[in-house]
């Protein structure tokens, strides 16, 4: 595939366009190609999960390390169970409560799933997304789709078709525009091979709701710490999901305090993203305000970070969000996007 022919970008905003884009996507996927598709969390880079050569293209396009497994996307519960060798009670409950939706279940893989999808490991991540477009493509194909986020490895996930185009638009034949992602950050990943299950990556299906469905008390649901040296979820590497600009998380009470925390020679190239204590834009590269509820914040966050990168910001300062409940996943992504302290 040529590196310099740009991807075709197909809209989906009428029934005819939607159906034409489903047919085109399915044709490419059946031919072993990769296609960028919308999901409700972030855009995904999809390939036939049962075709090792097609999945290999995903790793190639993203520059993804071979040890990082890829989530398999299905469009019904029976297809999910065919990916797994065991479907424990916890999986059944979580699937009933949150699928289709922004939740990935890590289960013991079945023999159908090629090694390249699981990075050679004994488990497979499975998700039934709620976005109608990817559901329609999976049904049309008749096979599950392996799909990581449609960004270059270690870069920010895309929440619009244009974000995908800017990062990998010359490496894929087709990008389907299904509108801005409604959730805006990646799915919650829960390992159901342990009792109790444990969260490998927080997301907008948060711990409190998981616990309620699993009926596990707080202390139990937290599980045991991951032993050192075991990469339970390679996506949990410290720095991940990062914009190009240096991101810092700060709290301040007023403009003067914010300014005292910025290096004077850098302030003019620093973009501030705030939701509560909105600073005056004077002397800053820019100020964005994002909404003060967790769902709206998550939906807007990556688009704001992409925009700062597009504007060439050198630094991004994000007003520190709460660390609790529904905010935990947002706080997690911001920490991963920020520079290590030392
Ligand atoms: O919302 C999402 O999950 C999006 C959309 C496209 O579905 N996908 C996504 O995929 O974020 P990716 O590859 O960018 O992140 C998946 C994360 C990675 O951290 C990966 O290591 C972890 O899930 N993962 C996948 N399979 C796993 C497995 N079998 N065991 C442990 N972790 C796994
Ligand atoms: Mg990713």
């Amino acid at each position: 595939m040529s590196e310099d022919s740009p991807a075709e970008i197909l809209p989906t905003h009428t029934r005819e366009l939607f159906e034409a884009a489903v047919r085109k996507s399915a044709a490419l996927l059946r031919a072993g190609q990769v296609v960028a598709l919308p999901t409700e969390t972030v855009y995904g880079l999809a390939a036939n999960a049962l075709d090792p050569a097609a999945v290999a293209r995903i790793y190639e396009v993203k520059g993804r390390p071979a040890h990082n497994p890829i989530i398999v996307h299905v469009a019904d519960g029976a297809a999910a169970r065919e990916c797994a060798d065991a479907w424990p009670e916890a999986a059944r409950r979580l699937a009933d409560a949150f699928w289709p939706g922004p939740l990935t279940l890590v289960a013991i893989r079945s023999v159908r799933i090629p090694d390249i999808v699981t990075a050679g490991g004994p488990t497979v991540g499975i998700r039934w997304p709620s976005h109608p477009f990817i559901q329609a493509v999976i049904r049309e194909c008749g096979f599950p789709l392996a799909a990581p986020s449609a960004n270059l490895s270690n870069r920010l996930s895309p929440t619009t078709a244009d974000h995908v185009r800017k990062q990998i638009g010359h490496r894929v034949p087709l990008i389907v525009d299904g509108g801005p992602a409604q959730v805006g950050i990646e799915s919650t990943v829960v390992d159901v091979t342990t009792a109790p299950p444990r969260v490998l990556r927080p997301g907008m299906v948060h711990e409190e709701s998981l616990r309620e469905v699993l009926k596990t008390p707080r202390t139990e649901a937290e599980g045991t710490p991951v032993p050192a040296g075991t990469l339970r979820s390679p996506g949990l590497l410290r720095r991940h999901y990062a914009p190009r600009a240096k991101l810092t998380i700060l709290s301040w009470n007023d403009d003067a305090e914010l300014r005292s925390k910025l290096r004077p020679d850098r302030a003019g190239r620093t973009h501030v993203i705030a939701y509560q204590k909105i600073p005056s834009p004077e002397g800053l590269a820019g100020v964005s305000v994002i909404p003060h509820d967790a769902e709206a914040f998550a939906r807007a966050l990556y688009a704001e970070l992409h925009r700062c990168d597009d504007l060439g910001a050198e630094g991004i300062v994000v007003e520190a969000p709460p660390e609790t409940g529904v905010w935990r996943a947002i706080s997690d992504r911001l920490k991963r996007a920020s520079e290590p302290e030392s």
Side-chain angles (χ1 to χ4, degrees):
M1 193 179 306
S2 161
E3 281 275 323
D4 34 40
S5 58
E8 184 177 6
I9 300 183
L10 290 180
T12 56
H13 56 272
T14 67
R15 186 170 165 172
E16 290 70 27
L17 292 170
F18 184 101
E19 287 171 358
V22 168
R23 284 193 299 273
K24 181 78 193 261
S25 304
L28 287 166
L29 289 162
R30 280 196 206 100
Q33 304 240 37
V34 296
V35 173
L37 302 177
T39 90
E40 74 279 21
T41 55
V42 299
Y43 274 65
L45 183 62
N48 178 354
L50 307 181
D51 176 352
V55 178
R57 270 297 290 156
I58 294 179
Y59 285 89
E60 201 182 308
V61 167
K62 285 190 56 119
R64 185 178 176 102
H67 62 74
N68 198 355
I70 297 179
I71 295 170
V72 173
H73 296 71
V74 295
D76 61 79
R81 287 189 297 278
E82 281 174 22
C83 296
D85 221 18
W87 201 245
E89 170 69 10
R92 195 186 58 71
R93 284 195 193 190
L94 293 173
D96 282 352
F98 301 110
W99 276 356
L103 175 71
T104 296
L105 298 177
V106 170
I108 300 295
R109 71 194 271 200
S110 76
V111 289
R112 290 182 83 214
I113 305 299
D115 270 354
I116 190 165
V117 171
T118 70
T123 60
V124 59
I126 308 164
R127 182 161 103 80
W128 177 357
S130 66
H131 197 292
F133 189 83
I134 191 169
Q135 289 188 355
V137 174
I138 295 167
R139 288 201 192 97
E140 177 79 13
C141 286
F143 47 73
L145 296 179
S149 50
N151 50 281
L152 294 172
S153 197
N154 292 325
R155 295 273 297 280
L156 204 57
S157 293
T159 57
T160 66
D162 204 46
H163 297 157
V164 180
R165 182 186 60 76
K166 284 182 183 144
Q167 280 197 42
I168 57 168
H170 283 77
R171 298 177 178 208
V172 296
L174 175 65
I175 299 169
V176 176
D177 188 346
Q182 286 301 296
V183 175
I185 64 173
E186 304 83 354
S187 62
T188 307
V189 179
V190 177
D191 183 352
V192 293
T193 68
T194 61
R198 57 183 167 183
V199 175
L200 301 181
R201 177 174 73 182
M204 295 312 280
V205 174
H206 51 86
E207 298 233 17
E208 285 70 12
S209 344
L210 294 168
R211 219 175 277 133
E212 211 172 287
V213 168
L214 294 169
K215 304 204 167 38
T216 40
R218 190 166 220 295
T219 47
E220 258 183 74
E222 276 160 3
T224 42
V226 180
T230 324
L231 210 54
R232 287 299 303 217
S233 188
L236 298 182
L237 295 171
R238 170 72 176 76
R239 187 170 158 86
H240 202 63
Y241 312 111
R244 278 194 296 266
K246 177 177 157 51
L247 188 147
T248 319
I249 306 162
L250 289 179
S251 307
W252 58 87
N253 285 308
D254 53 34
D255 269 28
E257 189 182 357
L258 169 61
R259 263 149 241 273
S260 75
K261 292 182 172 181
L262 299 178
R263 277 191 32 186
D265 56 322
R266 295 239 180 103
R269 281 162 291 157
T270 298
H271 196 103
V272 177
I273 299 176
Y275 67 95
Q276 200 171 31
K277 306 268 169 56
I278 317 300
S280 134
E282 205 183 314
L284 299 168
V287 173
S288 315
V289 180
I290 53 180
H292 189 178
D293 73 90
E295 274 74 25
F297 194 110
R299 202 175 298 132
L301 178 63
Y302 286 174
E304 279 307 327
L305 298 180
H306 279 288
R307 204 166 68 84
C308 291
D309 270 352
D310 290 347
L311 293 170
E314 190 175 296
I316 304 173
V317 166
V318 183
E319 184 179 4
E323 300 251 355
T324 49
V326 291
W327 288 92
R328 194 166 292 128
I330 293 167
S331 173
D332 167 81
R333 296 308 189 280
L334 283 173
K335 283 184 190 149
R336 288 177 206 287
S338 68
E339 294 284 313
E341 282 76 24
S342 57

